[in-house]
């Protein structure tokens, strides 16, 4: 090791605490904005990638951001009011594929997405194990959710009640896990997918129970009128759909009025998209949005806020540089005799300056190394961090 | 060994000047330099070390004419042929005892590679520090620190040792001990010792004492 570097290294080793403080200051000043920049960059890329792969989203009139975030990332609540009949009418336009989505509920903490098989083909989702949900009560689990919940094909998941204190609410429905999706690096990894009708059953819009007429215990039937049978609470309602009871599950009312969160619309070409947008421009209840435009608008807000943080970081960096300069200046003053001694012992003044510059160099190298490690860690944790940001 | 002739030196912008018609010291000789404050004792050391260059006269040390050398050559000569002992030791607190002794080699490439630890230990054993080579210098007593400084001054086998108040920061007993070591080690190495001191109680230990106030003239330009 050369003389100046040897002296500098010994100096920073001897003054460990001071060195650690300076390294921490410089690392934070350099590393934090770098990490934030990387995270925001990746976050926006993820948001935009999902938006780019989704041509149009239909939903009830209301917040367009809520609608797009719900339809693309299964986060937050979609504007209420969209019905299954609206998806049917979009299909009847024959201007593209209309994929219904209903993600109001969760299953053991993961978003439970009611949809059709078209969704898996549209997103290019494939199972890593098992198969897609084919039957009422089946579900397929995203890769990350399966890992977190520790489930695999043949296992089961329970839907979460909306409100545990609501005794009149729907009971948790036991879902049969038929497959686990291969990782896709998208919000699909964290979701549980089931048939739309399964989710309606979880909501209590459909149900299965023992045959009131043939199998009910004596006294269960309270009254019969106009072809309807009214039973008391002793009637057994099923909380799991099995081969044995699947036939007993049914819905009351008009399915066209059943709720949806959103509909993904995939027109075959730009003309069809333009026609659809034109038709829904002034629709009374339904709005049709282009996710790319909405996410760009949302990111515009995020980046506007980020500019404040950038300015803040710049000011902090300036202040840190000022403190660093002051520290160096004070240190140089305090060490004037040391410099003079080295000179008297025959050291070149340039070598003395080099030794002191090397101390700063070591601090910067350590800081930049730590910042690079932090950035590397950020890259390694990017997927969960981005998922967390999207949650 | 040392030969000064007709030297005149003034610091830039100052009216005071040191005038030294002649000053000599033989190889291996120990000379105490005394004199009132401001008579030019430290200036004399700077001139002998080549740190300052006289405006007039000649200075010859160990056969080299310093006044004919440029700054870099004087610095190299200082590193190779002159050892320093300071009143406040001027050790580097971030180096241990061994590295403080080896410091001249670390900062002067012209001296070559630093001596091995065995050589440092051998030198340190002459001043009783052989077991403290890995100690931090700020954990040593004042007397021990001055002995480390003494080893640092001797490690490169200097022809001339310049000591500026070498006992000034030591108690009388430690001061006498440090001075005796300095005199003995200089004599054993045939190095000339020029020691500036205010402590008249130590002068009897020097074979020769020069009162700079008496031999040098101080002129006001």
């Amino acid at each position: 090791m050369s003389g100046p570097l040897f002296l500098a290294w010994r100096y920073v080793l001897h003054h460990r605490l001071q060195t650690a403080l300076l390294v921490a200051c410089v690392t934070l000043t350099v590393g934090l904005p770098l990490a934030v920049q990387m995270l925001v960059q990746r976050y926006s890329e993820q948001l935009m990638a999902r938006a780019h792969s989704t041509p149009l989203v239909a939903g009830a009139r209301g917040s367009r951001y809520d609608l797009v975030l719900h339809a693309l990332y299964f986060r937050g609540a979609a504007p209420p009011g969209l019905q299954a009949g609206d998806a049917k009418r979009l299909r009847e336009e024959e201007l593209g594929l209309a994929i219904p989505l209903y993600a109001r509920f969760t299953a053991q903490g993961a978003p439970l997405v009611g949809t059709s098989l078209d969704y898996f083909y549209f997103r290019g989702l494939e199972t890593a194990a098992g198969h897609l949900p084919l039957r009422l009560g089946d579900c397929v689990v995203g890769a990350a959710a399966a890992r977190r919940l520790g489930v695999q094909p043949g296992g089961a998941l329970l839907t979460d009640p909306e409100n545990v204190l609501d005794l009149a609410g729907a009971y948790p429905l036991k879902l049969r896990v038929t497959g686990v999706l291969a990782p896709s690096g998208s919000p699909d990894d964290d979701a549980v997918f089931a048939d739309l009708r399964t989710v309606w059953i979880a909501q209590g819009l459909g149900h299965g129970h023992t045959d009131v007429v043939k199998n009910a215990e004596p006294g269960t039937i309270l009254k019969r009128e106009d072809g309807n049978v009214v039973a008391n609470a002793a009637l057994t309602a099923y909380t799991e759909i099995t081969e044995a009871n699947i036939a007993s599950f049914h819905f009351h009312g008009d399915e066209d009025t059943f709720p949806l969160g959103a509909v993904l619309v995939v027109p075959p070409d730009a003309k069809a998209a333009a026609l659809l947008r034109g038709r829904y421009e002034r629709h009374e209840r339904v709005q049709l949005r282009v996710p790319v435009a909405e996410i760009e608008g949302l990111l515009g807000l995020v980046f506007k806020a980020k500019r404040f943080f950038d300015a803040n970081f710049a000011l902090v960096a300036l202040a840190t540089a000022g403190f660093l300069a002051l520290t160096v200046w004070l240190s140089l003053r305090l060490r004037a005799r040391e410099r003079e001694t080295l000179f008297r012992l025959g050291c070149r003044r340039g070598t003395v300056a080099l030794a002191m510059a090397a101390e700063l160099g070591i601090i910067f190298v350590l800081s930049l190394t730590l910042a690079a490690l932090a950035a590397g860690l950020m890259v390694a944790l990017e997927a969960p961090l981005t998922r967390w940001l999207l949650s | 060994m040392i030969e000064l002739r007709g030297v005149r030196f003034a610091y830039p912008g100052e009216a005071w000047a040191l005038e030294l018609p002649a000053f000599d010291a033989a190889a291996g000789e120990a000379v105490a330099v005394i004199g009132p404050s401001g008579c030019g004792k430290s200036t004399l050391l700077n001139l002998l070390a080549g740190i300052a260059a006289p405006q007039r006269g000649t200075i010859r040390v160990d056969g080299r004419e310093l006044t004919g050398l440029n700054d870099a050559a004087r610095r190299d000569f200082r590193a190779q042929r002159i050892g320093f002992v300071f009143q406040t030791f001027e050790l580097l607190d971030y180096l241990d005892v061994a590295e403080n002794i080896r410091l001249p080699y670390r900062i002067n490439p012209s001296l070559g590679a630093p001596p091995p630890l065995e050589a440092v230990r051998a030198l340190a054993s002459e001043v009783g520090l052989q077991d403290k080579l890995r100690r931090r210098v700020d954990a040593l007593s004042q007397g021990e620190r001055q002995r480390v400084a003494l080893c640092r001054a001797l490690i490169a086998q200097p022809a001339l040792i310049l000591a500026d108040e070498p006992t000034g920061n030591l108690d009388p007993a430690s001061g006498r001990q440090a001075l005796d070591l300095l005199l003995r080690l200089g004599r054993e190495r045939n190095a000339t010792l020029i020691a500036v001191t205010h402590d008249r109680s130590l002068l009897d230990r020097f074979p020769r004492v020069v009162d700079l106030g008496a031999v040098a003239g101080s002129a006001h330009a």
Side-chain angles (χ1 to χ4, degrees), chain A residues 1 3-4 6-7 10-11 14-15 335 337-338 341-348 351 359, chain B residues 46 51 75 78-79 84 86 88 90 92-96 99 103 106-108 136 138 152:
Chain A
M1 198 184 288
F6 171 80
L7 290 181
R10 285 303 181 96
Y11 185 83
H14 183 75
H15 298 97
R335 297 171 67 190
R337 280 178 63 164
E338 179 188 332
T341 300
L342 292 174
F343 175 68
R344 281 176 175 268
L345 295 181
C347 187
R348 288 174 56 234
T351 304
E359 289 164 14
Chain B
N46 284 344
I51 293 168
R75 190 184 58 236
R78 185 161 73 245
F84 277 93
F86 304 100
T88 47
E90 305 301 341
L92 303 190
D93 64 350
Y94 51 89
L95 298 181
D96 61 23
E99 287 303 341
L103 182 64
R106 293 285 187 193
I107 58 176
N108 300 301
R136 292 165 51 142
D138 52 10
R152 183 182 63 188

Side-chain angles (χ1 to χ4, degrees), chain A residues 59-73:
Chain A
R61 290 261 171 214
S63 164
R64 58 187 199 269
Y65 294 139
D66 284 353
L67 171 65
V68 171
L69 288 175
H70 179 82
L72 268 56
Y73 312 107

Side-chain angles (χ1 to χ4, degrees), chain B residues 17-215:
Chain B
L18 171 70
E19 302 267 8
L20 197 56
F23 181 82
D24 296 279
E29 187 179 11
V31 180
V33 178
I34 59 169
S37 293
C39 74
K41 298 188 293 294
S42 295
T43 303
L44 173 64
L45 294 187
N46 284 344
L47 289 167
L48 291 172
I51 293 168
Q55 284 88 29
R56 196 178 66 207
T58 59
I59 301 172
R60 184 175 287 273
V61 176
D62 195 29
R64 292 288 294 275
E65 171 61 59
L66 294 190
T67 39
L69 301 177
N70 62 21
D71 283 354
R74 286 207 309 270
R75 190 184 58 236
D76 282 347
F77 178 77
R78 185 161 73 245
Q80 291 160 11
R81 305 306 295 151
I82 299 175
F84 277 93
V85 180
F86 304 100
Q87 179 179 355
T88 47
F89 326 134
E90 305 301 341
L91 302 175
L92 303 190
D93 64 350
Y94 51 89
L95 298 181
D96 61 23
V97 168
E99 287 303 341
N100 262 291
I101 293 173
R102 274 198 284 219
L103 182 64
Y105 285 87
R106 293 285 187 193
I107 58 176
N108 300 301
S110 65
L111 288 179
L117 193 62
E118 290 71 35
V120 176
R121 193 186 306 281
L123 177 59
S125 68
E126 295 191 56
V127 297
L129 289 174
Q130 67 276 14
D131 297 328
K132 298 185 175 178
L133 293 182
R134 288 302 172 209
R135 287 272 187 90
R136 292 165 51 142
V137 291
D138 52 10
L140 301 178
S141 69
Q142 297 287 86
E144 286 173 328
R145 286 189 209 187
Q146 190 58 303
R147 281 185 270 157
V148 175
L150 185 53
C151 289
R152 183 182 63 188
L154 294 170
I155 189 75
Q157 306 290 341
L160 171 64
I161 301 167
L162 299 176
D164 192 358
E165 300 282 2
T167 59
N169 252 29
L170 301 174
D171 61 77
S174 300
R176 271 192 296 278
Q177 196 182 18
L179 185 61
D180 288 343
L181 268 174
L182 185 58
L183 289 165
R184 178 171 64 79
L185 294 173
R187 196 168 50 241
E188 285 171 4
R189 285 162 175 74
N190 199 35
T192 305
L193 170 65
I194 306 293
V196 166
T197 182
H198 276 109
D199 190 348
R200 289 183 176 269
S201 70
L202 298 173
L203 295 182
D204 59 344
R205 284 177 155 70
F206 285 90
R208 183 178 154 207
V209 176
V210 173
D211 185 348
L212 199 62
V215 299

